[in-house]
């Protein structure tokens, strides 16, 4: 397995899109507190790969993930407070090593606010998807199952609870909406992803926002929200390229 990731950290105030500013009310401002331009090593990421043929490289500002099986890439720092994660993702055909899944577009996925049941950092796992079933976390699978589902789940530690989602007819669960062009991956088309985690207020009880491009696909206003923890990129039998990874805080 080849791995060469590069990272840089900065603390500059970021000029944010209006959509992001809506959840960060004045007088507070969005401030970039961490970033990875994929030019300075793997120090802040932890890799879990199910198959040793997985290849993760970072050069010229691009994190390139090509894997025949399950893979998770954990951002090492703990995240808390009112924060957002932003990055740009591009899906490409899965590598030849994926065997019967070679060539498919699938699985731009992520865990966030993940904590073990005792509140500690997620312990190392094999990269096999079922190994995360006991990890309390939020999870989005965008274009999963060969680009036929896009779902938001809450892992409670004892079950993978479907909160809401989109699916093609034969794979749809009760209450899910049909898949649309906005909920699918498109080969070679960059997509900006934003995850917002914030403390709910009386004026705005929404604590979770998940956006793909200009489309806010998921929001939640739960009484017992998960508001801190760890983040991971997650995929399987796929190829993804990630750019411009940022952590922002509303301060």
């Amino acid at each position: 397995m080849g791995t060469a990731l590069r990272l840089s950290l900065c603390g500059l105030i970021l000029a944010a899109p209006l959509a992001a500013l809506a959840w960060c009310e004045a007088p507070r401002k969005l401030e970039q507190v961490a970033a990875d331009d994929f030019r300075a090593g793997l120090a802040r990421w932890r890799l879990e790969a199910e198959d040793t043929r997985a290849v993760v490289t970072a050069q010229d500002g691009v994190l390139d993930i090509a894997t025949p099986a399950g893979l998770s890439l954990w951002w090492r720092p703990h995240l808390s407070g009112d924060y957002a994660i932003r990055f740009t993702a591009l899906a490409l055909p899965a590598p030849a090593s994926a065997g019967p899944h070679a060539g498919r577009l699938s699985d731009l996925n992520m865990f966030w606010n993940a904590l073990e049941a005792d509140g500690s950092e997620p312990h190392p796992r094999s990269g096999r998807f079922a190994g995360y079933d006991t990890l309390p976390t939020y999870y989005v699978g965008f274009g999963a199952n060969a680009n036929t589902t896009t779902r938001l789940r809450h892992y409670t530690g004892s079950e993978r609870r479907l909160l809401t989602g989109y699916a093609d007819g034969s794979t749809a669960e009760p209450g899910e909406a049909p898949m649309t062009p906005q909920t699918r991956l498109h080969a070679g088309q960059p997509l900006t992803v934003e995850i917002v985690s914030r403390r709910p207020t009386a004026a705005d009880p929404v604590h979770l926002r998940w956006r793909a491009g200009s489309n806010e696909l998921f929001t939640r206003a739960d009484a017992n929200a998960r508001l801190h923890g760890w983040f991971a990129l997650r995929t399987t039998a796929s190829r993804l390229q990630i750019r411009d990874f940022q952590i922002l805080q509303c301060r």
Side-chain angles (χ1 to χ4, degrees), residues 41-242:
L42 184 56
R44 293 203 167 210
W45 294 95
R46 175 166 59 85
L47 179 64
E48 298 171 349
E50 183 178 3
D51 192 308
T52 58
R53 295 173 296 167
V55 178
V56 182
T57 62
Q59 57 188 2
D60 301 324
V62 180
L63 170 64
D64 195 309
I65 301 169
T67 181
L71 182 150
S72 300
L73 192 61
W74 288 93
W75 178 249
R76 288 186 182 274
H78 174 265
L79 300 177
S80 62
D82 292 354
Y83 73 84
I85 301 166
R86 279 194 208 144
F87 56 90
T88 299
L90 186 145
L92 295 170
S97 61
H101 299 306
R104 75 171 189 167
L105 297 181
S106 194
D107 287 282
L108 172 59
N109 308 336
M110 58 218 69
F111 299 114
W112 75 98
N113 286 350
L115 296 163
E116 295 292 351
D118 63 2
S120 63
E121 180 179 0
H123 63 70
R125 289 168 166 83
S126 69
R128 184 171 175 267
F129 191 41
Y132 301 92
D133 284 354
T134 58
L135 178 65
T137 185
Y138 290 115
Y139 175 80
V140 161
F142 186 88
N145 298 303
N147 217 11
T148 64
T149 65
T150 289
R151 289 168 168 153
L152 170 66
R153 294 186 184 272
H154 179 204
Y155 286 39
T156 66
S158 58
E159 66 173 320
R160 296 190 302 145
R161 184 178 298 163
L162 176 63
L163 300 179
T164 184
Y166 306 83
D168 285 338
S170 62
T171 58
E173 298 190 25
E176 290 192 298
M179 289 286 279
T180 70
Q182 291 72 37
T183 63
R184 294 188 199 275
L185 297 165
H186 299 277
Q189 295 186 16
L191 181 70
T192 300
V193 173
E194 181 180 77
I195 304 166
V196 171
S197 175
R198 64 185 292 272
R199 180 167 36 86
T201 65
D204 184 359
V206 172
H207 65 87
L208 179 161
R209 301 178 185 274
W210 196 93
R211 180 181 294 272
S214 61
N215 302 294
E216 190 167 71
L217 298 184
F218 302 120
T219 62
R220 294 294 295 178
D222 297 328
N224 298 307
R226 303 183 61 80
L227 298 176
H228 70 99
W230 278 265
F231 167 81
L233 293 164
R234 169 73 196 176
T235 195
T236 185
S238 69
R239 186 177 176 200
L240 301 173
Q241 292 185 340
I242 308 296

